[in-house]
Structure formats: C-alpha cells, structure tokens
Amino acid sequence: MVMTAQGRLPRHTPAEDHPASEDHPALTPREFFESLPSTLCLRAEIIDGNLLLSPSGTPHHARMARRLSRALIPVEDDNDWESFSGDVDICIEGPRDTVIPDYCLALRDAPLWGDREILSSGLIMVAEVVSPGSMEVDRIAKPRIYAGCGIPIMLIIDPVASPATVTVLSDPEDGAYRTTTRTEMGKPVRIPGPVDFELDTSIFL
C-alpha cells in the first residue's frame, strides 16, 4: 500500500488548524518531508514531486536486499565503498526528490544534503526489490529517476514477475538506461563496471 500527497498534508495533522492562505501557504511535499520526525515508522519518499508514504517491507523483501549486500562485500572492500540496505535517504540532485533504495552502493565520502540524505552523485549502484504494491514505481518510475541523475547501475530484483527475474540496467543517458540485461532468478548475471561482478542470483531464491 502506498499513500500519496501532492502538495497536501495528510489528514489529522496540526496544519489543518491553519488552512493555506496568502500569508500561510501550504507546505510543498519537500517541506513536509523535511518536517517528518526521524522516528517515523513509514517509508517516506518524494517521487516526481509527490510525497509517498508506504509501510516497511516484509521480512522476505528485506532478506533479498540483505543477501545482495552480503554478496557484494568483496566489491565494497576492494574499492573502499560502503553500502546501505533500505535504511538511508537519497536526495536526487536537480529535482531534490527523496528516495529510499532497497540497497545502494556509495562512495565512502559521498556528499550529503544536510545530515540526513546522501546526494545521488555519490552513488555507484542502487537496487530495488519489487513487491505487489511497488511494481509501477520500481519498474518504471525509479529507473527513470536513477538514470536521470546519472547513477551508473540499477538492479531490479523482481520476485513478483513470472518467472522471477533480476534485471541489470546500466549506461544512463538522457534519462534512461541504454543497456538492459535480464535473467531468470537463479542464474548468474554480470554487473558491469565500475562494480564488475558476477552475481549468482540463486541467493534470492
């Protein structure tokens, strides 16, 4: 389930006591995002200017992201990179949208927006694990967003597809990834440079 807000606050907020006016304009999605407490239990993202709130993933969903993270530890160590599994906000430079990849691989000294978000220019790879409620966002919107800000590689782990698949997107240009490699889950797939790694996708089964 995903809830969206297009420049509006959700119901039952203190702002309802102060309707938007010329003196007190409504908060933008970005402003509302920045006002959310760090203890919020929902995932909050801004995609195409819309604020999306969604519940935390299932254990199966989190397990896939964690297994990817473990598989890529040698890559991290060899390059002095670091990774995060669904627990860090990414600020997309340009539109300043905020997304939370299920996994991301970043430069150790990646630049930050404030103290809360990693700027997208510091990312090497992102991955999304598709769930029934996130199919359109993970398969369509996020590849466009990630390619648009120049993240070199995106991985789509899709247990919802029939058969389940793993897709590697690379070579971003003009808001799209020019190279797509899709394999049935359980078979190996090559992640190109700068990661340069043969991933055994049977870890997701």
Side-chain angles (χ1 to χ4, degrees):
M1 178 180 67
V2 174
M3 298 175 284
T4 67
Q6 297 176 308
R8 304 187 302 275
L9 289 174
R11 297 182 62 185
H12 309 301
T13 65
E16 287 184 322
D17 298 331
H18 305 281
S21 66
E22 196 170 302
D23 294 330
H24 300 283
L27 295 178
T28 66
R30 180 72 203 184
E31 291 167 336
F32 182 39
F33 171 82
E34 291 179 343
S35 74
L36 293 173
S38 58
T39 54
L40 184 72
C41 294
L42 295 172
R43 289 165 59 104
E45 300 180 286
I46 302 174
I47 295 179
D48 294 333
N50 298 321
L51 180 66
L52 277 68
L53 301 178
S54 58
S56 299
T58 64
H60 181 63
H61 186 278
R63 188 178 300 120
M64 288 189 166
R66 183 59 186 153
R67 287 178 177 175
L68 175 63
S69 179
R70 290 173 60 185
L72 291 175
I73 285 175
V75 175
E76 291 184 54
D77 292 344
D78 288 347
N79 294 278
D80 197 29
W81 295 336
E82 60 185 352
S83 68
F84 304 89
S85 298
D87 53 4
V88 69
D89 295 330
I90 303 300
C91 179
I92 302 298
E93 291 169 84
R96 288 183 60 209
D97 281 358
T98 296
V99 297
I100 306 175
D102 291 316
Y103 168 87
C104 66
L105 189 60
L107 300 173
R108 189 168 296 277
D109 58 351
L112 301 179
W113 177 267
D115 59 1
R116 179 172 176 174
E117 299 166 81
I118 297 176
L119 286 173
S120 56
S121 59
L123 298 186
I124 297 137
M125 188 179 89
V126 290
E128 298 291 350
V129 180
V130 180
S131 60
S134 70
M135 291 188 290
E136 184 174 352
V137 170
D138 289 344
R139 294 172 179 170
I140 300 172
K142 285 193 171 179
R144 171 174 46 79
I145 291 168
Y146 294 147
C149 66
I151 297 174
I153 301 167
M154 179 185 182
L155 200 68
I156 302 176
I157 303 164
D158 196 343
V160 179
S162 183
T165 59
V166 176
T167 302
V168 180
L169 305 173
S170 58
D171 301 322
E173 185 175 293
D174 297 328
Y177 286 107
R178 295 182 298 166
T179 302
T180 300
T181 303
R182 182 176 291 108
T183 188
E184 185 175 337
M185 194 176 290
K187 298 178 180 180
V189 66
R190 189 75 190 175
I191 302 176
V195 175
D196 193 23
F197 184 78
E198 186 88 2
L199 178 66
D200 178 3
T201 69
S202 66
I203 63 174
F204 304 126
L205 295 176

